[in-house]
Amino acid sequence: MPSARMSTLARLQGAIDRLEHGLAEPLRRQPLGHAAVDAALQGGLALGALHEVFGEGSAAGAATGFVAGLARQASEQRFLLWVRVDFAARESGDLAMAGFAELGLDPRRIVVVRAPDADSALRSAADALACTGLGAVVTELWGESRAFDAVASRKLSLAAQQSGVTALMLRIAATPQTSTAETRWMVRAAHSPPVEGWGAPMLETSLIRNRRGPTGRWIMEWNCDACRFREPQTHPRPLVAAVADRSYRTAVAAPRRLAG
Amino acid sequence: MPTDRIERLSPPRDGSPAEPRVVVAKRDNALVLVACDARAAQGGLTPGMPLATARAMHPSLDVIEHDAVADAALLSAIADWCDRFTPLVALDGDDGLCLDITGCAHLFGDEQGLLTALLQGLQRQGFAARAAIAGTAVAARALSRGAPRTIVPPGGEAEAVAPLPVAALGVDPGIVRGLRRAGLVTIGDVLARQPSELAARFGADFVAVLRQASGAEDAPISPRRPAPDYVVDKRFAEPVATLEVIMPTLLALARLLIAAMEKSGKGARQLLASFFRSDGAVRTIMVEAGQPVTRTEMVERLFAEKLDALADPLDPGFGFDLIRLAASHTVVVDAAQRGFDSTAHQAEDVAALADTLSARLGARRVLRYLPQDSHLPERAALAVPVQHCPPQTCHETPWPARADEPPLRPLRLLQPPEPVEVLAEVPDGPPAQFTWRRVTHRVARAEGPERIAMEWWRRPEPGLTRDYFRIEDEVGARFWLYRDGLYGREVLPSADGHGQPRWYVHGLFA
């Protein structure tokens, strides 16, 4: 199986990396709850590292939900600092604490920093990453940003590595670019299962960069009670509804590959 | 004072003998002199004289219109400068300042030394000033007008003010006129009368002023700012201008300040650093802290952030000759040992981080959210600065416990809600299709309505009842839409009389 070979290759690559960089202790990892994802991530989300989440402008809600889920799992009972630029609130709406509470986060442990621009947001995030009282720092930028370049991402990575605080970048309406991130995700909304009424958040997540493992694409569901991701519970219909009039061999998921 | 302001703006050129200068304002439909400079005063002009009369006496007058706002700003700047003598500085009328120097004179040698330093300082800045020191504010005011540079020994007020004209009291001109008509010219004459006679004729207020002038009773002045709890300052013989000197000075002051506060077990929540420039301008920088400041490093960090983030940097000009650090708001600090409870440590660390970020970005940008007892989504959470509500106080109201059902409230809330074009069943069906930001979404799934009535007890008029729908479109994106109003019952009036409820998108779900 190609994916198994990929995974072996990645594990070896990771071993070489560790030997080369003298990284004595492996990264602490937090299992996300979705078996396939955890396998690809070698056990779970690496704590004390930088992770990037991208979403199109129309997927702002889904991307926010995914980051909130990651942040909840990375920070456990500790504080969460959410730095967002003012423009993000104008474009995709302000953070609503009632919604966060329903996802299982405790709004009493969330501190929101409203930064006027990307520069000050990144600077605040870098400072916050040195604070060991925090569990995770989310930096939310909107649109393409010249401020978040290789230097800035390196700075965040190092700060996260030193303190063990997890750094999450939420990039809405931005194109993924090379950075020092441990993982990079592309998120969009997925259909709710057809049988249920209004269900838990369903997310279609593509892991498009993984420093120590294979990439992949999964449907993840956020379980508000256990505060973990999980596989979609009931999934009787295919990802894309069958279109009546098409040839048998048409690639059903082709238009969806844009993100990958 | 107005003429001094103009003089400072345009210093006279050498050699050219300037004309007498007067400042005029319109009073009762006539131009009246408000102020005149030294040359005009020598020529017999006095404030209050009509401009026509003044012109008749001096055909070549330099007439300038009165600018009350600029004068007030100047007086306020002078008051700032006077902060170096005492923290209690009050404005006195349009052109006077009243300083409470209780316990401050010894810093300048004695009262004479303070008076000389004050007058010399003002003269250097180009002001003609008169001052006097007395036991009560009214006596000092009267003496500074009638007999400047007087220093009244304790208890000698009545004697000192007795020879002064009644006008020096600064009371209503009508009273002065009345007294003069009665043959009472000096304050001494008035003091000799029975207070009851004066009260019957001129009112009890006048008697109170008179008693204050004679030192029989005292009224407190109302200072411009409350006196800080702790103050330390450092004077420089030579003005300093570089940040390399300013920062260590601030640190040395912080050490003194914190040592002083420690003795009474206090910590500062608000610190003011004042930089007195040698040309009289004063710049005050304030930092606030959510947790009381008890260590020098915290002062250093907060001021470093603040000075770094200033939109208009500290301009030393020709240098600062006095730097002052004051703790304007202090609280009692329990000298508690740090416990083993790790959550308490976390909260402290987060509070320290919030202080740093607030110093840089402003307190209104570092926020926490408190739950509010309101059904309206936009009022359900109240954003408060972390500094005003530090995370230690976690015994606050918990957020409503989550019901055992999928999320019913969105993660992101659009403020204000954005109007959308909707195809929906009339009167109260869910939308079938909607267009938001020029993109058409076909609705795959809708849940609702959830009816939220407005809070009718609020004013002004609270708006219309909203029917909220949770919507999933054909790609799975989830929205929170509402119809503003009810068909036939609650609609905003329109031009044709058949108002239609409008639709809005209010939030995004994950």
Side-chain angles (χ1 to χ4, degrees):
Chain A
M1 265 173 66
S3 73
R5 272 181 61 195
M6 282 292 288
S7 133
T8 317
L9 200 63
R11 209 163 39 239
L12 288 172
Q13 193 100 48
I16 292 169
D17 271 358
R18 262 198 293 284
L19 288 173
E20 275 181 355
H21 295 114
L23 203 65
E25 51 176 314
L27 290 163
R28 287 175 300 126
R29 289 182 183 277
Q30 166 73 36
L32 293 180
H34 188 291
V37 175
D38 285 339
L41 291 173
Q42 321 278 313
L45 188 76
L47 302 179
L50 173 67
H51 303 276
E52 288 179 301
V53 176
F54 287 83
E56 289 167 19
S58 58
T64 308
F66 185 63
V67 168
L70 293 185
R72 169 69 181 79
Q73 292 195 301
S75 62
E76 298 268 344
Q77 290 302 314
R78 282 173 293 168
F79 281 88
L80 164 64
L81 191 83
W82 194 298
V83 186
R84 66 135 178 82
V85 292
D86 285 344
F87 191 67
R90 223 169 304 154
E91 262 319 306
S92 338
D94 209 343
L95 305 174
M97 286 301 140
F100 278 82
E102 285 187 328
L103 286 191
L105 287 89
D106 185 358
R108 288 180 297 179
R109 298 194 165 268
I110 300 179
V111 175
V112 176
V113 177
R114 295 179 179 166
D117 51 37
D119 276 320
S120 56
L122 289 167
R123 201 171 147 220
S124 305
D127 286 354
L129 282 171
C131 174
T132 46
L134 294 171
V137 176
V138 178
T139 316
E140 179 182 347
L141 305 181
W142 206 98
E144 309 294 344
S145 168
R146 209 170 293 163
F148 188 64
D149 52 8
V151 178
S153 87
R154 183 101 195 117
K155 217 182 266 178
L156 291 188
S157 288
L158 284 176
Q161 204 179 334
Q162 269 173 10
S163 64
V165 180
T166 311
L168 298 165
M169 290 292 299
L170 172 56
R171 306 287 310 273
I172 297 169
T175 337
Q177 278 172 345
T178 47
S179 69
T180 56
E182 182 75 21
T183 61
R184 190 174 305 133
W185 303 79
M186 191 86 196
V187 179
R188 60 202 303 175
H191 288 283
S192 303
V195 284
E196 281 181 54
W198 189 255
M202 296 285 278
L203 308 166
E204 184 190 330
T205 56
S206 313
L207 181 57
I208 54 176
R209 161 121 173 102
N210 183 4
R211 280 167 81 87
R212 294 168 220 279
T215 56
R217 184 149 55 132
W218 304 275
I219 302 274
M220 293 164 90
E221 181 182 347
W222 176 252
N223 180 347
C224 303
D225 297 318
C227 292
R228 286 161 77 85
F229 289 102
R230 67 178 176 202
E231 294 85 0
Q233 290 301 291
T234 47
H235 210 243
R237 82 173 182 178
L239 179 58
V240 172
V243 179
D245 185 17
R246 63 174 166 83
S247 71
Y248 167 64
R249 290 200 176 273
T250 311
V252 271
R256 296 187 162 270
R257 288 251 167 76
L258 276 176
Chain B
M1 193 187 70
T3 53
D4 284 337
R5 177 171 64 81
I6 293 148
E7 196 83 31
R8 266 156 61 95
L9 286 179
S10 56
R13 272 170 241 101
D14 300 327
S16 63
E19 289 98 26
R21 180 176 282 162
V22 294
V23 175
V24 297
K26 202 159 188 173
R27 300 257 163 85
D28 299 335
N29 266 340
L31 285 173
V32 174
L33 268 57
V34 174
C36 38
D37 70 354
R39 284 179 302 274
Q42 274 170 13
L45 304 183
T46 52
M49 189 182 266
L51 178 62
T53 318
R55 276 218 199 278
M57 292 165 72
H58 292 270
S60 63
L61 270 181
D62 185 6
V63 179
I64 290 159
E65 206 172 324
H66 183 51
D67 183 352
V69 177
D71 285 342
L74 180 63
L75 187 64
S76 156
I78 298 174
D80 280 342
W81 178 82
C82 287
D83 270 346
R84 63 178 61 209
F85 297 105
T86 165
L88 300 172
V89 179
L91 300 180
D92 185 38
D94 295 338
D95 56 354
L97 292 174
C98 198
L99 278 64
D100 186 345
I101 56 162
T102 313
C104 300
H106 70 279
L107 301 171
F108 299 84
D110 54 5
E111 290 178 347
Q112 184 64 53
L114 191 149
L115 194 67
T116 314
L118 176 77
L119 289 172
Q120 274 176 358
L122 287 171
Q123 200 177 5
R124 241 196 335 266
Q125 294 178 47
F127 298 113
R130 291 173 299 178
I133 295 178
T136 65
V138 175
R141 181 194 301 144
L143 285 167
S144 71
R145 286 185 185 145
R149 290 192 174 246
T150 312
I151 296 175
V152 180
E157 281 84 10
E159 217 172 295
V161 297
L164 301 179
V166 180
L169 280 175
V171 291
D172 188 59
I175 296 180
V176 177
R177 231 176 293 130
L179 287 169
R180 196 172 299 150
R181 219 172 282 149
L184 305 172
V185 180
T186 63
I187 298 177
D189 296 342
V190 185
L191 281 174
R193 311 300 298 193
Q194 281 295 323
S196 54
E197 295 171 26
L198 293 168
R201 174 71 178 80
F202 299 108
D205 289 351
F206 176 68
V207 177
V209 169
L210 213 55
R211 284 177 62 78
Q212 286 166 29
S214 64
E217 66 181 51
D218 196 5
I221 63 171
S222 50
R224 299 162 68 231
R225 299 197 193 95
D229 299 354
Y230 296 88
V231 184
V232 287
D233 53 23
K234 178 154 180 63
R235 278 157 214 279
F236 299 94
E238 288 290 316
V240 296
T242 56
L243 207 60
E244 285 79 53
V245 185
I246 292 167
M247 236 15 226
T249 308
L250 216 50
L251 275 191
L253 290 176
R255 227 165 282 137
L256 288 174
L257 189 74
I258 281 166
M261 288 194 297
E262 209 169 27
K263 277 186 199 137
S264 38
K266 295 281 190 71
R269 288 284 302 277
Q270 193 183 53
L271 289 165
L272 294 170
S274 307
F275 301 88
F276 292 75
R277 242 160 62 171
S278 49
D279 62 354
V282 181
R283 178 77 186 271
T284 300
I285 289 168
M286 182 185 76
V287 295
E288 280 183 299
Q291 50 181 3
V293 173
T294 50
R295 296 200 312 275
T296 323
E297 305 90 72
M298 288 160 79
V299 180
E300 180 183 17
R301 203 185 58 221
L302 291 176
F303 273 106
E305 283 292 342
K306 192 76 185 182
L307 290 176
D308 204 28
L310 283 181
D312 48 338
L314 203 58
D315 175 18
F318 297 111
F320 301 115
D321 59 359
L322 171 67
I323 295 181
R324 165 178 295 172
L325 188 64
S328 42
H329 178 195
T330 55
V331 290
V332 176
V333 183
D334 302 329
Q337 210 168 0
R338 272 176 81 115
F340 290 112
D341 182 10
S342 67
T343 51
H345 286 208
Q346 286 171 12
E348 269 173 40
D349 288 348
V350 173
L353 173 70
D355 283 341
T356 313
L357 294 180
S358 303
R360 186 191 303 159
L361 300 170
R364 307 279 322 151
R365 286 185 171 278
V366 185
L367 304 167
R368 293 176 68 223
Y369 290 86
L370 302 182
Q372 297 294 299
D373 197 7
S374 172
H375 291 295
L376 287 191
E378 56 265 42
R379 291 218 185 96
L382 177 72
V384 289
V386 177
Q387 285 194 326
H388 299 173
C389 178
Q392 280 97 328
T393 56
C394 255
H395 314 291
E396 64 209 30
T397 341
W399 282 73
R402 203 178 65 75
D404 191 20
E405 40 187 276
L408 301 179
R409 286 285 177 271
L411 270 187
R412 314 201 66 124
L413 213 53
L414 291 162
Q415 231 20 285
E418 296 184 13
V420 284
E421 299 292 319
V422 165
L423 272 181
E425 200 182 308
V426 174
D428 50 7
Q433 182 177 312
F434 67 96
T435 307
W436 177 45
R437 291 181 178 169
R438 302 189 187 188
V439 180
T440 303
H441 302 264
R442 205 161 312 140
V443 174
R445 187 185 299 248
E447 202 184 69
E450 178 185 347
R451 183 161 292 180
I452 297 181
M454 292 299 110
E455 297 172 335
W456 51 262
W457 55 91
R458 285 185 192 270
R459 303 216 162 254
E461 278 303 297
L464 305 175
T465 302
R466 300 174 185 173
D467 271 349
Y468 278 91
F469 290 89
R470 287 179 285 276
I471 304 287
E472 186 175 315
D473 73 1
E474 74 256 314
V475 295
R478 295 166 161 203
F479 302 88
W480 208 30
L481 264 65
Y482 73 86
R483 191 187 59 235
D484 197 25
L486 307 172
Y487 272 95
R489 284 200 284 155
E490 281 188 29
V491 281
L492 289 177
S494 68
D496 56 357
H498 299 284
Q500 298 271 324
R502 302 207 49 190
W503 287 80
Y504 294 90
V505 57
H506 201 172
L508 306 174
F509 287 93

